[in-house]
Amino acid sequence: MTLAELRGALAAWAPRPSHIERIAREHWPEGGFREAAVLVPLHEEGGVPSVLLTLRRADLRTHAGQFSFPGGRLDAGEGSLDAALREAREEVGLDPSRVEVLGRLSEAMVLQSANRLTPWVASVPYPFPYEAAPREVEAIWHVPIPALLAPGVHRTQRHNFYGLDVDVHFYEVEGRTIWGATARILSELIEAWSAR
């Protein structure tokens, strides 16, 4: 499927209710769940779609050494799409004017940092002089979507968080592990893409 076809698929995709709505209030973290957003940047190279991920630095306070999408918490008065675009500029040098938003996926719960995450899917330029923000990003990884579809790459494990049983997603690609909210978002992206 092309990115143009994905736009149509996302237009017909109904984001699912958040897991957070099913968590009893007595199990919520102190201060509740904070609003955050990510950009899911997609591009094509030789007709093959890829997704851009960042490898977070190993010395960060949260999500150290993990693969993630560019993103972060919303600033006061900021919308989720604006936050996703701002964070993508800060983390990988992506010019917001070069981004074509394709649609939105379901809100994801970030287990380690108690965030409720809105993912925005976008077509981004390639080639482009992406640059990892040295204080936060160790490396940028362009993952071919077909690599995520290979047999045995994707798995889930059932865990209990905040009094709720949830499936934690994992992708093993090129000897690297993508897991948590990032893997959950990738799983839904692939499902939406395949549903067209």
Side-chain angles (χ1 to χ4, degrees):
M1 179 181 285
T2 65
L3 297 186
E5 291 170 328
L6 176 61
R7 184 188 305 107
L10 289 173
W13 186 256
R16 301 178 177 120
S18 171
H19 282 94
I20 294 170
E21 309 308 328
R22 296 170 30 218
I23 299 173
R25 287 285 175 162
E26 61 265 25
H27 293 298
W28 278 40
E30 185 177 341
F33 291 91
R34 294 172 294 271
E35 299 284 340
V38 295
L39 195 71
V40 181
L42 300 168
H43 62 78
E44 291 181 337
E45 182 180 7
V48 177
S50 293
V51 60
L52 183 155
L53 296 178
T54 64
L55 174 61
R56 292 174 57 81
R57 283 177 44 142
D59 58 356
L60 295 177
R61 188 169 51 86
T62 58
H63 308 292
Q66 295 181 13
F67 289 103
S68 65
F69 298 110
R73 292 185 185 153
L74 275 61
D75 288 342
E78 187 176 39
S80 63
L81 177 56
D82 289 336
L85 293 171
R86 173 181 55 77
E87 290 281 352
R89 178 191 282 273
E90 292 173 4
E91 292 182 19
V92 299
L94 177 59
D95 180 352
S97 70
R98 303 287 305 275
V99 174
E100 179 188 358
V101 176
L102 302 178
R104 184 177 74 81
L105 294 171
S106 304
E107 181 180 86
M109 178 172 60
V110 184
L111 303 171
Q112 286 191 323
S113 54
N115 288 330
R116 52 190 316 162
L117 192 63
T118 301
W120 289 94
V121 182
S123 174
V124 299
Y126 189 86
F128 184 84
Y130 294 103
E131 186 173 350
R135 289 185 298 177
E136 188 172 356
V137 177
E138 182 72 27
I140 296 170
W141 184 22
H142 299 272
V143 186
I145 296 295
L148 300 171
L149 301 174
V153 164
H154 177 237
R155 63 184 170 87
T156 60
Q157 290 180 358
R158 197 80 164 161
H159 291 275
N160 187 283
F161 293 95
Y162 306 114
L164 182 71
D165 287 332
V166 296
D167 286 328
V168 178
H169 292 254
F170 297 83
Y171 285 89
E172 306 286 347
V173 180
E174 299 174 5
R176 304 167 177 173
T177 302
I178 307 162
W179 71 283
T182 301
R184 174 177 289 280
I185 291 166
L186 285 173
S187 176
E188 185 182 2
L189 173 70
I190 290 167
E191 184 180 353
W193 210 327
S194 303
R196 179 110 173 122

